[in-house]
């Protein structure tokens, strides 16, 4: 049965209210400010679409999706801090630390991690214990120092001499780990094995790579536009060689073909995969590829 994703925001809001009962006002407001801000909700959409494909209850997809959105949100709050990327805007609003101060923003990120765990604990009431444990093990790996945090740390030690493989591995953790968890935790909970499970694993790997290739191409387009406008002002500063475009576009096209190949495979095994295909299209939509 297809879950009505429009109900996800209400689920996230009510979960947030429940988990923040009795929490000091400044911390509570800071957490709500970022978690309930208008993100694209790509990870919850993936979790819900994968859960639907596997025939799981809507509540399971929402629970996994909301937990991963909490982790995603903590990484954004921390990544925006002055000691990391020092960003002023996120999701069209001033960053958390700009509104609540660095100390409270740090605590908001810290709080979102155990909140996600507390929420996931409810999966034990909804599915087989052994299968839920597998999902939680995957979650721990993805959000911890071997997953998304490893990706962030690796980025600090990479430089212009780093190989393409090293850079891809870093992105695979920094960006790919949470996509993987979104798609594969429902698989763990379902207990499914065999060709259908393999096809979902292949889709998951391909989705992360495609997202990264699209993101790289978009960055390059933005840098090129900036470069051209600076050139127009006779500036000395140059960011990218416009010639770099061709390989990045070729890689993105290749990744797109791979991703849609994995969608076809899923469709041949599961039947309807409209939502996963739609999410795949959105990865490239903004690039007009
Ligand atoms: C462990 C502190 C810490 C950071 C981990 C995720 C991360 C590393 C940093 C966030 C910055 C960043 C640009 C990461 C790349 C992944 C990415 C493209 C995030 C933005 O995701 P979207 O586009 O954002 O889904 P919304 O706001 O729509 O949810």
């Amino acid at each position: 049965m297809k879950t009505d994703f429009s109900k996800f925001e209400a689920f996230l809001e009510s979960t947030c209210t429940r988990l923040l009962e009795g929490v000091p006002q400044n911390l509570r407001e800071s957490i709500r400010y970022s978690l309930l801000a208008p993100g694209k909700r790509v990870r919850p959409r993936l979790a819900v679409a994968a859960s639907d494909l596997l025939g799981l209850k809507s509540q399971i997809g929402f629970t996994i999706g909301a937990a991963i959105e909490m982790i995603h949100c903590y990484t954004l709050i921390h990544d925006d801090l002055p000691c990391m990327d020092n960003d002023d805007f996120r999701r069209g609003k001033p960053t958390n630390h700009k509104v609540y101060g660095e100390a409270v923003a740090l605590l908001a990120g810290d709080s979102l991690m155990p909140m996600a765990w507390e929420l996931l604990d409810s999966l034990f009431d909804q599915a087989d214990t052994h299968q839920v444990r597998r999902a939680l093990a995957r979650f721990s790996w993805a959000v911890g120092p071997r997953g998304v945090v490893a990706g962030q740390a690796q980025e600090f030690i990479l430089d212009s001499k780093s190989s393409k493989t090293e850079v891809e591995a870093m992105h695979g953790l920094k960006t790919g780990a949470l996509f993987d968890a979104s798609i594969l935790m429902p698989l763990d909970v379902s207990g499914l094995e065999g060709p259908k499970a393999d096809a979902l694993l292949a889709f998951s790997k391909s989705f992360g790579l495609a997202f990264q290739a699209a993101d790289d191409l978009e960055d390059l387009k933005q840098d090129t536009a900036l470069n051209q406008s600076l050139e127009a002002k006779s500036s000395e500063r140059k960011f990218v060689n416009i010639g770099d475009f061709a390989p990045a576009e070729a890689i993105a096209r290749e990744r797109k073909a791979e991703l849609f190949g994995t969608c076809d495979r899923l469709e041949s095994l599961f039947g309807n995969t409209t939502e996963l295909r739609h999410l795949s299209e959105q990865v490239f939509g903004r690039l007009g590829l």
Side-chain angles (χ1 to χ4, degrees):
M1 204 185 73
K2 187 176 172 345
T3 300
D4 177 2
F5 192 81
S6 70
K7 297 201 171 106
F8 178 75
E9 289 305 315
F11 176 84
L12 191 63
E13 141 73 39
S14 62
T15 303
C16 189
T17 302
R18 180 168 56 81
L19 296 179
L20 292 178
E21 248 170 59
V23 168
Q25 190 188 355
N26 54 351
L27 182 58
R28 190 174 67 233
E29 283 178 6
S30 161
I31 293 169
R32 290 179 67 90
Y33 176 82
S34 289
L35 185 62
L36 304 177
K40 295 184 290 298
R41 311 295 192 218
V42 179
R43 295 150 194 83
R45 284 179 194 278
L46 284 168
V48 166
S51 296
D52 282 356
L53 198 69
L54 295 158
L56 300 174
K57 285 182 268 180
S58 300
Q59 182 78 6
I60 293 179
F62 277 179
T63 301
I64 293 172
I68 292 178
E69 189 66 16
M70 285 173 186
I71 298 296
H72 171 55
C73 184
Y74 120 67
T75 68
L76 297 179
I77 296 173
H78 282 190
D79 191 62
D80 289 337
L81 287 169
C83 63
M84 294 236 187
D85 260 16
N86 195 16
D87 280 317
D88 292 346
F89 288 94
R90 169 72 61 186
R91 291 177 165 176
K93 305 197 310 180
T95 42
N96 197 297
H97 65 272
K98 285 279 163 193
V99 179
Y100 297 96
E102 281 179 48
V104 173
L106 190 72
L107 296 177
D110 290 344
S111 305
L112 282 158
M113 289 184 260
M115 281 169 69
W117 268 104
E118 191 176 344
L119 175 59
L120 286 173
D121 194 63
S122 68
L123 288 177
F124 285 111
D125 304 330
Q126 301 173 56
D128 173 84
T129 301
H130 176 69
Q131 287 159 203
V132 172
R133 280 219 181 99
R134 282 180 66 174
L136 296 194
R138 189 185 295 281
F139 181 77
S140 302
W141 180 89
V143 309
R146 281 170 290 177
V148 75
V149 184
Q152 182 78 345
Q154 270 174 3
E155 196 172 22
F156 299 146
I157 47 178
L158 294 183
D159 57 29
S160 56
K161 289 191 229 81
S162 301
S163 69
K164 190 166 166 281
T165 315
E166 286 171 319
V167 174
E168 269 184 9
M170 179 275 288
H171 283 306
L173 295 171
K174 185 174 161 176
T175 311
L178 292 190
F179 287 138
D180 272 346
S182 308
I183 300 161
L184 301 179
M185 285 173 69
L187 179 65
D188 295 329
V189 173
S190 78
L192 187 76
E193 286 175 358
K196 283 183 166 178
D198 294 343
L200 204 56
L201 281 158
F203 170 80
S204 178
K205 185 160 185 262
S206 197
F207 190 92
L209 291 171
F211 191 93
Q212 199 47 58
D215 219 44
D216 286 350
L217 187 59
E218 194 167 24
D219 284 352
L220 208 54
K221 278 191 174 176
Q222 276 165 8
D223 285 353
T224 306
L226 187 57
N227 204 17
Q228 282 168 338
S229 79
L230 288 171
E231 268 180 356
K233 289 183 204 154
S234 313
S235 165
E236 295 282 304
R237 204 165 160 213
K238 283 221 167 99
F239 293 93
V240 291
N241 180 348
I242 296 170
D244 290 343
F245 237 18
E249 203 167 75
I251 291 171
R253 282 188 196 283
E254 208 176 295
R255 298 292 193 219
K256 184 180 177 185
E258 279 163 15
L259 179 59
F260 283 97
T262 65
C263 287
D264 292 343
R265 173 103 182 107
L266 280 177
E267 195 151 329
S268 71
L269 292 165
F270 285 93
N272 189 350
T273 54
T274 314
E275 190 55 22
L276 289 178
R277 201 177 275 279
H278 176 63
L279 289 165
S280 303
E281 275 158 8
Q282 282 185 345
V283 170
F284 294 97
R286 59 187 183 206
L287 289 164
L289 270 189

